[in-house]
């Protein structure tokens, strides 16, 4: 099995003296997409502050994130967000053990803002800098305000990625499978657009689905080998169904519920398959779509079947900087050189 992320990695667990018994305070920034975020986390788990300034209202009128606007907005907001995170945590910057920022994947112009802020703080206060992979960080959101520990199987479902990961240890994550086309969040947002819901559609579709009949339509489940996924066929099937109705007669709630049913079933089935295959009885969710009520319900039902089930609190599912701090602390795929550069995609 291959290593999860093929970017240069220098894992230096002693960088911040983890395990030394001394308290470690990580100050992190995150600006990979459309949230300007900063957070302070103690020893990888205790969140002292978590500030997120969302740009969603700005991008909503365009129906998606406009990269240039996102970058400019981050620039305008980052200093205020950083100061608020420091103040809410009740700390002075000189008390910080290390500064961390997201390196990628994400929008390059947006990433640069948060990453350079973290690098500058590290230079100014003469403390280590830790670059973090956004995807590893989503997984590490499971450690925030919890005692959850590896090994476990993690289903990472976000706006840009869908991955099944075997988390062997704090520093060792193995990619088992991923989507061959659309990410789950992307599929939610596209289907939501067909149903004329606001952007980003995931949470709106989730809510609408609760009023619908999930058995009204039987949308196809993609047959993909092993631990990979595919959602583009499902999206097309929903589109075809929508076209059979006039705008007034479109059974939106039933379509939402039927779509959500097949997505959540597929995700659970593959996760349980990976758990069985790896002989692991601990499963976790991560990423923005982990906030989905039906996916969470189906996963937590597995506790009745002897599984330990974990999902981040809602505010730690979508993009935030507390998860970046946690990944920095636990040394999960970190890059600590000050000259590392942002990257947009996992190669
Ligand atoms: O992880 P995230 O905040 O950003 C990325 O790194 O992509 O995920 C954002 C995605 C969006 O596609 C959004 O529609 C989806 O998460 N999302 C949801 C829910 N809340 C957020 N999808 C389904 N149900 C939800 N409750
Ligand atoms: Zn994310």
């Amino acid at each position: 099995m291959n290593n999860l992320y093929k970017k240069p990695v220098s894992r230096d667990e002693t960088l911040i003296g983890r395990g030394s018994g001394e308290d470690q305070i990580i100050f992190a920034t995150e600006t990979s997409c459309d949230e300007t975020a900063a957070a302070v986390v103690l020893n990888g788990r205790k969140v002292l502050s978590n500030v997120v300034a969302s740009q969603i209202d700005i991008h909503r009128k365009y129906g998606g994130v406009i990269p240039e606007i996102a970058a400019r907005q981050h620039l305008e907001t980052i200093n205020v967000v950083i100061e608020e995170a420091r103040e809410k945590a009740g700390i002075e910057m000189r008390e910080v053990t290390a500064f961390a920022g997201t390196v990628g994947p994400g929008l390059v112009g947006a990433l640069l803002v948060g990453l350079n802020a973290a690098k500058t703080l590290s230079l100014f206060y003469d403390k280590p800098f830790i670059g973090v992979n956004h995807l590893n960080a989503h997984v590490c959101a499971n450690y925030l305000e919890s005692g959850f520990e590896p090994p476990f199987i993690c289903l990472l479902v976000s706006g840009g990625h869908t991955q099944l990961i075997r988390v062997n240890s704090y520093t060792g994550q193995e990619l088992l499978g991923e989507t061959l086309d659309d990410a789950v969040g992307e599929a939610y947002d596209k289907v939501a657009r067909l149903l004329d819901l606001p952007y980003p559609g995931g949470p709106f579709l989730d809510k609408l689905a609760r009023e619908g009949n999930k058995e009204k339509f039987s949308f196809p489940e993609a047959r993909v080998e092993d631990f990979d996924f595919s959602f583009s066929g499902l999206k097309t099937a929903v589109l075809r169904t929508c076209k059979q109705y006039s705008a007034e007669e479109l059974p939106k709630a039933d379509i939402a519920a039927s779509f959500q049913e097949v997505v959540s079933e597929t995700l659970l089935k593959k996760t349980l398959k990976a758990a069985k295959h790896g002989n692991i009885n601990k499963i976790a969710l991560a990423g923005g779509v982990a906030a989905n009520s039906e996916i969470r319900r189906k996963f937590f039902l597995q506790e009745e079947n002897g599984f330990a089930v974990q999902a981040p609190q809602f505010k730690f599912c979508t993009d935030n900087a507390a998860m970046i701090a946690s990944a920095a602390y636990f040394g999960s795929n970190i890059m600590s050189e000050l000259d590392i550069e942002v990257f947009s995609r996992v190669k």
Side-chain angles (χ1 to χ4, degrees):
M1 273 176 258
N2 50 358
N3 198 321
L4 181 47
Y5 302 112
K6 297 158 194 119
K7 279 267 123 189
V9 173
S10 70
R11 288 207 189 98
D12 184 356
E13 287 188 47
T14 60
L15 187 68
I16 55 168
R18 181 161 75 86
S20 66
E22 284 184 23
D23 279 346
Q24 312 286 326
I25 297 176
I26 309 284
F27 190 106
T29 60
E30 146 67 39
T31 60
S32 66
C33 191
D34 59 349
E35 334 268 10
T36 315
V40 183
V41 176
L42 176 68
N43 297 332
R45 293 188 187 268
K46 184 156 180 41
V47 181
L48 303 183
S49 68
N50 180 48
V51 180
V52 181
S54 174
Q55 306 175 1
I56 282 178
D57 289 341
I58 298 168
H59 298 287
R60 186 164 285 148
K61 56 175 173 280
Y62 304 104
V65 177
I66 309 291
E68 290 79 7
I69 296 178
R72 214 174 311 139
Q73 200 61 33
H74 284 311
L75 261 181
E76 281 183 20
T77 323
I78 188 80
N79 286 345
V80 180
V81 168
I82 284 175
E83 177 52 17
E84 195 180 327
R86 184 203 65 75
E87 199 185 344
K88 282 198 170 147
I91 57 151
E92 295 302 328
M93 282 302 195
R94 58 185 154 69
E95 295 176 71
V96 169
T97 313
F99 291 92
T102 313
V103 182
L107 305 170
V108 167
L111 284 162
L112 279 170
V113 178
L115 190 71
N116 282 323
K119 284 179 177 177
T120 308
L121 287 165
S122 112
L123 278 171
F124 190 84
Y125 291 100
D126 196 20
K127 296 290 166 72
F129 160 76
I130 304 173
V132 171
N133 180 304
H134 183 88
L135 302 181
N136 287 83
H138 268 303
V139 175
C140 292
N142 280 297
Y143 306 139
L144 295 170
E145 303 293 345
S146 84
F148 196 63
E149 292 179 337
F152 57 95
I153 298 291
C154 189
L155 173 72
L156 167 58
V157 272
S158 75
H161 297 86
T162 299
Q163 301 186 328
L164 255 178
I165 301 160
R166 185 189 158 112
V167 182
N168 293 315
S169 65
Y170 289 110
T171 54
Q173 301 188 8
E174 269 172 40
L175 182 64
L176 301 176
E178 61 191 331
T179 183
L180 305 176
D181 38 59
D182 289 354
V184 180
E186 203 177 343
Y188 261 92
D189 294 343
K190 285 177 179 169
V191 168
R193 203 172 304 159
L194 293 176
L195 303 180
D196 208 22
L197 298 172
Y199 172 86
F204 295 97
L205 200 155
D206 185 4
K207 206 162 157 221
L208 182 64
R210 280 173 228 162
E211 298 159 23
N213 173 6
K214 63 181 185 194
E215 280 153 24
K216 178 75 193 272
F217 300 100
S218 61
F219 292 128
E221 190 179 325
R223 289 187 202 283
V224 186
E225 294 283 294
D226 299 327
F227 306 113
D228 287 333
F229 303 91
S230 165
F231 296 102
S232 69
L234 172 61
K235 183 190 63 193
T236 311
V238 174
L239 173 68
R240 228 179 285 130
T241 300
C242 288
K243 280 188 172 161
Q244 290 167 8
Y245 295 88
S246 66
E248 297 75 42
E249 285 172 352
L250 191 63
K252 292 184 185 178
D254 293 342
I255 292 178
S258 305
F259 164 79
Q260 182 152 281
E261 178 62 15
V262 62
V263 171
S264 52
E265 266 302 315
T266 307
L267 295 175
L268 178 69
K269 224 188 276 175
K270 288 264 170 163
T271 307
L272 292 181
K273 186 176 168 187
K276 192 171 171 204
H277 177 262
N279 205 16
I280 291 181
N281 69 347
K282 272 161 96 174
I283 55 175
L285 286 164
V289 189
N292 183 268
S293 60
E294 183 59 17
I295 298 173
R296 284 176 96 97
R297 192 186 70 79
K298 284 200 165 75
F299 268 66
F300 279 101
L301 267 180
Q302 298 311 310
E303 286 177 336
E304 289 172 15
N305 297 331
F307 283 91
V309 185
Q310 173 72 19
Q313 288 178 26
F314 288 112
K315 62 185 176 214
F316 303 135
C317 286
T318 42
D319 290 349
N320 66 85
M323 67 184 196
I324 305 299
S326 185
Y329 175 83
F330 286 110
S332 178
N333 196 5
I334 56 170
M335 298 150 261
S336 52
E337 301 81 9
L338 263 174
D339 62 352
I340 52 165
E341 292 184 11
V342 299
F343 64 95
S344 61
R345 304 177 137 266
V346 182
K347 294 212 183 73

